[in-house]
Amino acid sequence: MQPEHLDQVLVIEKSSFPTPWTRQAFDYEIQINDFAHYIVALQDNRVAGYAGMWIILDEAHITNVAVHKKHRSRGLGKALMLEMIKRSVLLGAERMTLEVRPSNTTARHLYTRLGFAERGLRKKYYTDTEEDAIIMWKDDLVGMLTCNK
């Protein structure tokens, strides 16, 4: 992800989340935060989706994944996650975590198919709706890459 992608990323962000991240938040992540790694998927030179993570020691933490509504249900979310997994392994991560809304059944299904397991709950994590967050973990990232080639 580069600064020139942010206008398109923000359109996807606003249509995907009740409380979207700001330009400043993304700008900080891609230009200042040394722990952050962000990618975009391009279709005809347009951003079709994006994903971000932090790498801290041997753990990867997915911060966000979103796909433009006209590109959904085509495997792009899975491709973005597999790319993040690949990059996290190359950067030394052994396991990966993320939070997801209980109401986001599509994302939960994807993460489960990729081998993530529900391991906890963050009460009222999403301040916009006071919805809890399900904490999911995947411990064997290298094995995940081997199984999903």
Side-chain angles (χ1 to χ4, degrees):
M1 185 182 292
Q2 299 297 319
E4 59 266 24
H5 297 126
L6 291 184
D7 286 341
Q8 295 172 59
V9 165
L10 289 169
V11 168
I12 298 168
E13 179 78 5
K14 288 176 185 170
S15 69
S16 299
F17 301 107
T19 306
W21 281 22
T22 63
R23 174 180 295 278
Q24 293 80 10
F26 279 107
D27 198 46
Y28 174 82
E29 290 291 288
I30 65 175
Q31 296 198 60
I32 298 171
N33 185 352
D34 291 334
F35 298 109
H37 302 271
Y38 283 75
I39 61 172
V40 293
L42 300 174
Q43 175 81 34
D44 299 323
N45 292 320
R46 304 279 306 159
V47 176
Y50 60 90
M53 69 179 169
W54 296 342
I55 301 290
I56 302 172
L57 301 174
D58 64 346
E59 293 181 357
H61 184 125
I62 295 292
T63 56
N64 43 25
V65 178
V67 174
H68 191 285
K69 58 186 168 190
K70 73 179 183 180
H71 295 286
R72 291 180 184 158
S73 300
R74 298 181 186 171
L76 185 54
K78 180 180 180 181
L80 286 164
M81 284 296 297
L82 289 173
E83 182 63 23
M84 296 308 277
I85 292 163
K86 179 176 128 184
R87 289 174 185 232
S88 68
V89 169
L90 292 172
L91 292 166
E94 297 175 8
R95 56 196 211 134
M96 182 176 274
T97 188
L98 55 84
E99 292 92 8
V100 62
R101 291 174 189 263
S103 62
N104 191 344
T105 55
T106 301
R108 288 175 61 201
H109 181 68
L110 169 63
Y111 303 143
T112 300
R113 280 191 340 233
L114 290 172
F116 283 77
E118 296 182 7
R119 297 251 181 92
L121 202 64
R122 297 191 197 285
K123 292 288 191 182
K124 298 183 181 182
Y125 180 78
Y126 298 101
T127 57
D128 54 355
T129 61
E130 295 192 354
E131 191 172 6
D132 297 337
I134 297 170
I135 305 164
M136 300 185 81
W137 281 92
K138 176 63 181 167
D139 292 322
D140 180 17
L141 295 182
V142 175
M144 180 188 282
L145 281 182
T146 304
C147 293
N148 286 290
K149 281 188 174 181

